[in-house]
Short mmCIF file of all heavy atoms in Angstrom, two decimals:
data_model
loop_
_atom_site.label_atom_id
_atom_site.label_comp_id
_atom_site.label_asym_id
_atom_site.label_seq_id
_atom_site.Cartn_x
_atom_site.Cartn_y
_atom_site.Cartn_z
N GLY A 1014 105.90 100.52 111.85
CA GLY A 1014 106.91 101.25 111.17
C GLY A 1014 108.28 100.95 111.64
O GLY A 1014 108.53 100.20 112.59
N GLY A 1015 109.37 101.66 111.06
CA GLY A 1015 110.75 101.46 111.46
C GLY A 1015 111.15 100.06 111.31
O GLY A 1015 110.82 99.43 110.36
N GLU A 1016 112.05 99.70 112.11
CA GLU A 1016 112.61 98.33 112.14
C GLU A 1016 111.51 97.24 112.24
O GLU A 1016 111.51 96.16 111.72
CB GLU A 1016 113.68 98.14 113.18
CG GLU A 1016 114.36 96.72 113.20
CD GLU A 1016 115.46 96.60 114.29
OE1 GLU A 1016 115.69 97.59 115.04
OE2 GLU A 1016 115.81 95.44 114.49
N ALA A 1017 110.48 97.63 113.04
CA ALA A 1017 109.36 96.63 113.40
C ALA A 1017 108.45 96.54 112.13
O ALA A 1017 107.93 95.44 111.90
CB ALA A 1017 108.51 97.14 114.51
N GLY A 1018 108.35 97.58 111.28
CA GLY A 1018 107.52 97.48 110.07
C GLY A 1018 108.12 98.13 108.89
O GLY A 1018 107.70 99.19 108.44
N PRO A 1019 109.07 97.44 108.27
CA PRO A 1019 109.86 98.04 107.18
C PRO A 1019 109.08 98.26 105.96
O PRO A 1019 109.52 99.07 105.05
CB PRO A 1019 110.98 96.99 106.93
CG PRO A 1019 110.46 95.71 107.44
CD PRO A 1019 109.61 96.11 108.74
N ASP A 1020 107.90 97.70 105.78
CA ASP A 1020 107.11 97.93 104.55
C ASP A 1020 105.93 98.93 104.74
O ASP A 1020 105.13 99.11 103.79
CB ASP A 1020 106.41 96.57 104.06
CG ASP A 1020 107.53 95.58 103.78
OD1 ASP A 1020 108.59 95.93 103.21
OD2 ASP A 1020 107.30 94.33 104.05
N LEU A 1021 105.91 99.56 105.93
CA LEU A 1021 104.76 100.46 106.20
C LEU A 1021 104.66 101.57 105.20
O LEU A 1021 103.61 101.89 104.60
CB LEU A 1021 104.95 101.00 107.58
CG LEU A 1021 103.83 102.10 108.02
CD1 LEU A 1021 102.46 101.31 108.10
CD2 LEU A 1021 104.19 102.71 109.25
N ASP A 1022 105.79 102.23 104.98
CA ASP A 1022 105.82 103.38 103.96
C ASP A 1022 105.45 103.01 102.63
O ASP A 1022 104.66 103.68 101.88
CB ASP A 1022 107.09 104.21 103.94
CG ASP A 1022 107.38 104.86 105.28
OD1 ASP A 1022 106.41 105.13 106.06
OD2 ASP A 1022 108.48 105.06 105.70
N GLU A 1023 105.94 101.83 102.20
CA GLU A 1023 105.58 101.33 100.84
C GLU A 1023 104.15 101.02 100.64
O GLU A 1023 103.55 101.29 99.57
CB GLU A 1023 106.52 100.11 100.52
CG GLU A 1023 106.37 99.58 99.09
CD GLU A 1023 107.29 98.39 98.81
OE1 GLU A 1023 108.09 98.14 99.73
OE2 GLU A 1023 107.03 97.68 97.87
N VAL A 1024 103.55 100.36 101.65
CA VAL A 1024 102.17 99.94 101.51
C VAL A 1024 101.26 101.25 101.48
O VAL A 1024 100.41 101.19 100.85
CB VAL A 1024 101.90 99.01 102.65
CG1 VAL A 1024 100.23 98.66 102.84
CG2 VAL A 1024 102.60 97.75 102.63
N ALA A 1025 101.74 102.22 102.47
CA ALA A 1025 100.92 103.41 102.50
C ALA A 1025 100.95 104.17 101.09
O ALA A 1025 99.83 104.65 100.64
CB ALA A 1025 101.39 104.37 103.57
N ALA A 1026 102.09 104.28 100.46
CA ALA A 1026 102.29 104.89 99.21
C ALA A 1026 101.41 104.18 98.16
O ALA A 1026 100.78 104.90 97.34
CB ALA A 1026 103.78 104.88 98.85
N ALA A 1027 101.38 102.85 98.08
CA ALA A 1027 100.61 102.14 97.18
C ALA A 1027 99.12 102.42 97.42
O ALA A 1027 98.39 102.36 96.43
CB ALA A 1027 100.90 100.68 97.35
N ALA A 1028 98.75 102.70 98.65
CA ALA A 1028 97.29 102.94 98.91
C ALA A 1028 96.91 104.54 98.69
O ALA A 1028 95.75 104.81 98.81
CB ALA A 1028 97.01 102.56 100.29
N GLY A 1029 97.97 105.25 98.54
CA GLY A 1029 97.79 106.72 98.24
C GLY A 1029 97.42 107.41 99.50
O GLY A 1029 96.70 108.54 99.53
N ILE A 1030 97.94 106.89 100.66
CA ILE A 1030 97.68 107.55 101.90
C ILE A 1030 99.01 107.71 102.67
O ILE A 1030 100.05 107.12 102.22
CB ILE A 1030 96.80 106.80 102.81
CG1 ILE A 1030 97.19 105.34 103.03
CG2 ILE A 1030 95.35 106.81 102.21
CD1 ILE A 1030 96.29 104.54 103.95
N SER A 1031 99.13 108.45 103.75
CA SER A 1031 100.32 108.56 104.53
C SER A 1031 100.42 107.45 105.45
O SER A 1031 99.52 106.68 105.62
CB SER A 1031 100.22 109.87 105.34
OG SER A 1031 99.30 109.87 106.47
N ALA A 1032 101.61 107.28 106.02
CA ALA A 1032 101.90 106.16 107.01
C ALA A 1032 100.98 106.23 108.14
O ALA A 1032 100.47 105.31 108.66
CB ALA A 1032 103.38 106.12 107.38
N ALA A 1033 100.85 107.52 108.62
CA ALA A 1033 99.94 107.75 109.83
C ALA A 1033 98.49 107.30 109.50
O ALA A 1033 97.81 106.71 110.36
CB ALA A 1033 99.97 109.21 110.25
N GLU A 1034 98.05 107.75 108.29
CA GLU A 1034 96.63 107.29 107.94
C GLU A 1034 96.52 105.75 107.78
O GLU A 1034 95.49 105.29 108.12
CB GLU A 1034 96.34 108.01 106.52
CG GLU A 1034 96.16 109.53 106.69
CD GLU A 1034 95.94 110.09 105.33
OE1 GLU A 1034 96.59 109.73 104.36
OE2 GLU A 1034 95.17 111.11 105.21
N LEU A 1035 97.54 105.13 107.38
CA LEU A 1035 97.55 103.66 107.20
C LEU A 1035 97.39 103.05 108.58
O LEU A 1035 96.57 102.15 108.88
CB LEU A 1035 98.76 103.17 106.58
CG LEU A 1035 98.99 101.62 106.44
CD1 LEU A 1035 97.74 100.98 105.92
CD2 LEU A 1035 100.23 101.32 105.66
N VAL A 1036 98.21 103.60 109.53
CA VAL A 1036 98.10 103.06 110.99
C VAL A 1036 96.77 103.22 111.52
O VAL A 1036 96.22 102.37 112.09
CB VAL A 1036 99.24 103.68 111.89
CG1 VAL A 1036 98.96 103.23 113.31
CG2 VAL A 1036 100.63 103.30 111.36
N ALA A 1037 96.19 104.44 111.27
CA ALA A 1037 94.87 104.79 111.77
C ALA A 1037 93.84 103.79 111.13
O ALA A 1037 92.86 103.34 111.82
CB ALA A 1037 94.51 106.21 111.52
N LEU A 1038 93.92 103.48 109.92
CA LEU A 1038 93.06 102.59 109.28
C LEU A 1038 93.03 101.17 109.80
O LEU A 1038 92.11 100.52 110.17
CB LEU A 1038 93.37 102.58 107.69
CG LEU A 1038 92.50 101.67 106.83
CD1 LEU A 1038 92.47 102.27 105.31
CD2 LEU A 1038 92.86 100.22 106.76
N HIS A 1039 94.40 100.81 110.01
CA HIS A 1039 94.66 99.39 110.43
C HIS A 1039 94.25 99.15 111.74
O HIS A 1039 93.95 98.02 112.24
CB HIS A 1039 96.12 99.00 110.25
CG HIS A 1039 96.35 97.49 110.05
ND1 HIS A 1039 97.25 96.91 110.88
CD2 HIS A 1039 95.84 96.61 109.28
CE1 HIS A 1039 97.24 95.54 110.60
NE2 HIS A 1039 96.44 95.44 109.47
N THR A 1040 94.28 100.26 112.65
CA THR A 1040 93.83 100.05 114.10
C THR A 1040 92.45 100.57 114.35
O THR A 1040 92.03 100.53 115.47
CB THR A 1040 94.88 100.81 114.89
OG1 THR A 1040 94.80 102.27 114.56
CG2 THR A 1040 96.27 100.36 114.87
N GLY A 1041 91.84 101.09 113.32
CA GLY A 1041 90.51 101.74 113.47
C GLY A 1041 89.28 100.70 113.46
O GLY A 1041 88.21 101.20 113.69
N GLY A 1042 89.58 99.59 113.02
CA GLY A 1042 88.39 98.61 112.91
C GLY A 1042 88.67 97.32 113.64
O GLY A 1042 89.81 97.14 114.16
N VAL A 1043 87.72 96.44 113.67
CA VAL A 1043 87.84 95.15 114.22
C VAL A 1043 88.31 94.07 113.22
O VAL A 1043 87.82 93.98 112.21
CB VAL A 1043 86.59 94.66 114.86
CG1 VAL A 1043 86.66 93.24 115.52
CG2 VAL A 1043 86.10 95.62 115.91
N HIS A 1044 89.39 93.34 113.60
CA HIS A 1044 89.80 92.29 112.69
C HIS A 1044 89.23 90.97 113.31
O HIS A 1044 89.03 90.81 114.63
CB HIS A 1044 91.39 92.13 112.84
CG HIS A 1044 92.16 93.29 112.47
ND1 HIS A 1044 92.79 93.44 111.29
CD2 HIS A 1044 92.35 94.51 113.12
CE1 HIS A 1044 93.32 94.63 111.18
NE2 HIS A 1044 93.09 95.35 112.26
N ARG A 1045 88.88 89.97 112.47
CA ARG A 1045 88.26 88.73 112.78
C ARG A 1045 89.19 87.62 112.42
O ARG A 1045 89.66 87.63 111.19
CB ARG A 1045 86.94 88.59 112.16
CG ARG A 1045 86.32 87.31 112.36
CD ARG A 1045 85.55 87.16 113.60
NE ARG A 1045 84.38 88.01 113.67
CZ ARG A 1045 83.47 88.02 114.73
NH1 ARG A 1045 83.61 87.23 115.72
NH2 ARG A 1045 82.44 88.89 114.71
N VAL A 1046 89.45 86.75 113.35
CA VAL A 1046 90.27 85.52 112.92
C VAL A 1046 89.45 84.67 112.10
O VAL A 1046 88.53 83.98 112.54
CB VAL A 1046 90.69 84.73 114.26
CG1 VAL A 1046 91.60 83.63 113.84
CG2 VAL A 1046 91.45 85.74 115.15
N ALA A 1047 89.82 84.53 110.82
CA ALA A 1047 89.06 83.63 109.90
C ALA A 1047 89.55 82.21 110.02
O ALA A 1047 88.74 81.22 109.84
CB ALA A 1047 89.30 84.17 108.48
N MET A 1048 90.89 82.08 110.31
CA MET A 1048 91.40 80.69 110.37
C MET A 1048 92.77 80.73 110.90
O MET A 1048 93.45 81.75 111.05
CB MET A 1048 91.52 79.98 108.98
CG MET A 1048 92.35 80.73 107.94
SD MET A 1048 92.71 79.86 106.35
CE MET A 1048 93.88 78.68 106.94
N LEU A 1049 93.30 79.58 111.29
CA LEU A 1049 94.79 79.42 111.72
C LEU A 1049 95.34 78.53 110.60
O LEU A 1049 94.91 77.57 110.10
CB LEU A 1049 94.86 78.83 113.00
CG LEU A 1049 94.24 79.50 114.25
CD1 LEU A 1049 94.40 78.72 115.51
CD2 LEU A 1049 94.73 80.90 114.37
N GLY A 1050 96.71 78.80 110.27
CA GLY A 1050 97.28 77.95 109.33
C GLY A 1050 98.65 78.44 108.99
O GLY A 1050 99.24 79.54 109.45
N HIS A 1051 99.37 77.64 108.08
CA HIS A 1051 100.72 77.92 107.51
C HIS A 1051 101.70 77.65 108.55
O HIS A 1051 102.66 76.91 108.47
CB HIS A 1051 100.74 79.30 107.00
CG HIS A 1051 102.18 79.60 106.51
ND1 HIS A 1051 102.79 78.87 105.61
CD2 HIS A 1051 102.98 80.66 106.85
CE1 HIS A 1051 104.09 79.37 105.40
NE2 HIS A 1051 104.20 80.41 106.11
N LEU A 1052 101.67 78.34 109.72
CA LEU A 1052 102.51 78.20 110.93
C LEU A 1052 101.60 77.92 112.12
O LEU A 1052 100.49 78.32 112.13
CB LEU A 1052 103.33 79.31 111.18
CG LEU A 1052 104.37 79.76 110.05
CD1 LEU A 1052 105.00 81.11 110.36
CD2 LEU A 1052 105.49 78.68 109.96
N PRO A 1053 102.04 77.06 113.12
CA PRO A 1053 101.30 76.89 114.21
C PRO A 1053 100.79 78.14 114.93
O PRO A 1053 101.55 79.03 115.31
CB PRO A 1053 102.25 76.07 115.26
CG PRO A 1053 103.26 75.49 114.28
CD PRO A 1053 103.37 76.50 113.19
N GLY A 1054 99.46 78.29 115.06
CA GLY A 1054 98.90 79.44 115.67
C GLY A 1054 98.84 80.63 114.93
O GLY A 1054 98.55 81.82 115.46
#
């Protein structure tokens, strides 16, 4: 959020949840690196 995440509130609103709930969702599970690309690393 804030300057670091300027789209946080907009994404949360689109998902029908609060910003805090979005952060909890995004940090609550394991992310898996599927590939590297577009930019180095």
Side-chain angles (χ1 to χ4, degrees):
E1016 182 183 350
D1020 298 325
L1021 178 67
D1022 291 337
E1023 183 180 349
V1024 174
I1030 57 179
S1031 68
E1034 289 172 324
L1035 174 53
V1036 173
L1038 182 154
H1039 204 237
T1040 58
V1043 177
H1044 301 256
R1045 174 81 70 172
V1046 180
M1048 63 171 283
L1049 302 179
H1051 176 57
L1052 295 169

